Amino acid sequence: MSETFVRVALDHPLPTLFDYRCDAPPPEPGTLVAVPFGKRSVVGLVVEVSAHSDLAAGRVRNIEATCGACAPLSSEWLALVAFAADYYQRSLGEVALPALPQALRDRSRWPRLFAVEPRFRLTAAGRAALPDALPARAAALRRLAAALADARSLDAPDARALHPKAGATLAAWQAQGWIDVETDADAARAFDARADWGADGDAAVAVMASAVSAIAARPALTDEQAQAVDAIAGAQGFSPFLLHGVTGSGKTEVYLSALERLFAARPDAQALVLVPEINLTPQFEAAFRARFAALAGDASIVTLHSAMADGERARSWLAAHRGRARIVLGTRLAVLASLPELALIVVDEEHEPAYKQQEGLRYSARDLAIWRAKQRGIAVVLGSATPSLESWWQAEQGRYRRLSLSRRAVADAVLPAVKMIDLEEERRRGRGSVDGISGPLVAALKSRLERGEQSLVFLNRRGYAPVLACDACGWVAGCPRCSAYVVLHKSAHALRCHHCGWEARVPRACPDCGNVDIAPLGRGTQRVEETLAGLVPGARVLRIDADSTRRKGSAQTLFSNVHAGEVDILVGTQMIAKGHDFQRVSLVGVLNADSALFSHDFRAGERLFAQLMQVSGRAGRAGLPGEVLVQTRYPRHALYHALGRHDYVGFANATLDERRDAHLPPFVYQALLRAEGRTLEAALAFLGQAGAALADAPFAERVTVYDAVPMTIVKVANVHRAQLLVESASRASLLATLRAWQPTLRTLKGVIRWSVEVDPLDI
């Protein structure tokens, strides 16, 4: 009897597939299998089936198990991850396996994939009783109650993450009639829609189609919104759209209306909606669930992001994989989800750097979304008030179709007035600031408080102060493991490194000279929060940043407080700058914007302009007159002039002209080779050898290789880092050179690790 072999992709940096023997009939390509690898058992993905192996018979081992709970991944999905592996210079297994939920990559969990744990829902009595019936100091109980109130349902792992004794608590609440518990059988039926449809699947699809058409009335579309929806709904084949809409112009309504048209025409279709950050998913999910409440079953709309519990993420992923989920809403990792009936992709805030993964596989979710739409022959919508210059250039060249929303959707809402507070002029007139907050800004905050309106103060630096220093000897608190200063977090009485996570208590005196009068320099959001509480008496000040939202669900709770009007002044970082519809905010104050004007990073200006345009757009969204006050020492800077006019088009075209003259992206294509060593000399020596080896690579004459240089933060966690930039006017030439370069790089020694990043955002 002839033997059968399978070639399996493993999560391993070697760019090869691994041969294993299997019984007949062999598993199909796309099947997950458990295989021996060295002394371990690991999960891999079958890519090919063959009648022979080039290895000696004694070296080929047998597969150990096949994952029967998960249907094989499609050839289309395999082609997607193969493209990503080739383009981003990684092995196939390094792309395919991490794209799957952890539960699928753990063989021991395969039998339990469909053993759905109970889910808990608040009853009407529970919503009326909680959290008022709980002790004021019972923080864990209140977190659990808040999570139940905010979510449609909560599963057991999530409940245990919020409260260690959640099981007993939930049992007691069930006995009091405060919650309902969904049984395993109910959950399994809700999870597997096809089991309910059975032979009547077509009838169920027809019912869904009529339900979608009978959705309740929604806001009337403006002429521009209607034109955009018509264009998206009428698209044939691969159709990339750039939806350029000013803040508050109703881009979300365009997405929702386009999806309605899609599901009315194709009730079995699937849509992928990407958002840049996890904290934006709750409000998007709420809007989508409200609009598409008629879609049958909880799994019709699922979310996918890294903060989800393993079991919850696995259920959402499998619902999408089996075609059960109609809408998949997620962050960048969702772009690699298996969606067999994918018919529309939306990338909201497409300009956001968060779409570029900065560890492991350094992929761009936006770019993969575009490639995936081309692969499927469907429409992809890139939405933003401040599109990336790469996307804007593609639209200027006619490769993307531009759809414009030039005014706000609410009839009486206009874009806010943007004014500059000249800090130098304030100083000359003897009107200095208090902890970086100027007199005019304080007066504006007090005025809004008196009118019962909300204000937002933006500072993109968390912590209390970026530096703790000694005036006597010049000592500055630095991280012992990184070439960076540590940040003072006053509330925790701690010094923290935001690069490696090192933490220490704040010293009582200078460790060098013993001076007890050590002081913070600069300011972060914690210090601004403290200062505003004193400058604006009676104001309810709330801070939202990465420190205040560490606990699961905390960000959603804080944003709910803002929307409920329980906050007068909101202080925050970029977390509050985009996507949020604050109806009562009429004033935005911006602190410390100048720090990005003179950065060595050529993208710093683009990012600053986008950030300021986005945060400015939080003001005046519901008809209230909006005002934006930007504190600056350079009020005549061209960037601020464009901001004051809300002139993205002028800024983008001027910046593109500068990029063209300087031969920078999008007019050239770049890749970075990064090396990490025990010493900087070792990292630079490795890069020197690597650069020399490029002389013999294909298309070397079309590629420019720059000298190796230390990275901006040279040392992180006791590892020294350097980088080498490679660029070309031809994307094909650059990729061909990188492919030929990889085998040589694997032969070089002397560093801890190295990696190639294609299309880097940070240089």
Coordinates of all heavy atoms in Angstrom, one line a residue, residues 4 262 275 307-308 413:
T4 N 0.9 8.0 2.3 CA 0.4 9.4 2.0 C 1.1 10.3 3.0 O 1.3 10.0 4.2 CB -1.1 9.5 2.2 OG1 -1.8 8.5 1.4 CG2 -1.6 10.9 1.9
L262 N -26.4 45.7 1.3 CA -25.7 44.5 1.1 C -26.6 43.3 1.5 O -26.8 42.3 0.8 CB -24.4 44.4 1.8 CG -23.6 43.1 1.7 CD1 -23.2 42.7 0.3 CD2 -22.4 43.1 2.7
V275 N -11.7 48.6 13.2 CA -11.5 49.8 13.9 C -10.1 49.8 14.5 O -9.5 48.7 14.7 CB -12.5 50.0 15.0 CG1 -13.9 50.1 14.5 CG2 -12.5 48.8 16.0
A307 N -8.0 41.7 23.5 CA -8.4 41.8 24.9 C -9.5 40.7 25.3 O -9.8 40.6 26.5 CB -8.9 43.2 25.3
M308 N -10.0 40.0 24.3 CA -11.1 39.0 24.6 C -10.5 37.8 25.3 O -9.3 37.4 25.1 CB -11.8 38.6 23.3 CG -12.4 39.8 22.6 SD -13.1 39.3 21.0 CE -14.4 38.2 21.4
A413 N -25.1 71.6 13.1 CA -23.7 71.4 13.6 C -22.7 71.9 12.5 O -22.8 71.5 11.4 CB -23.5 69.9 13.9

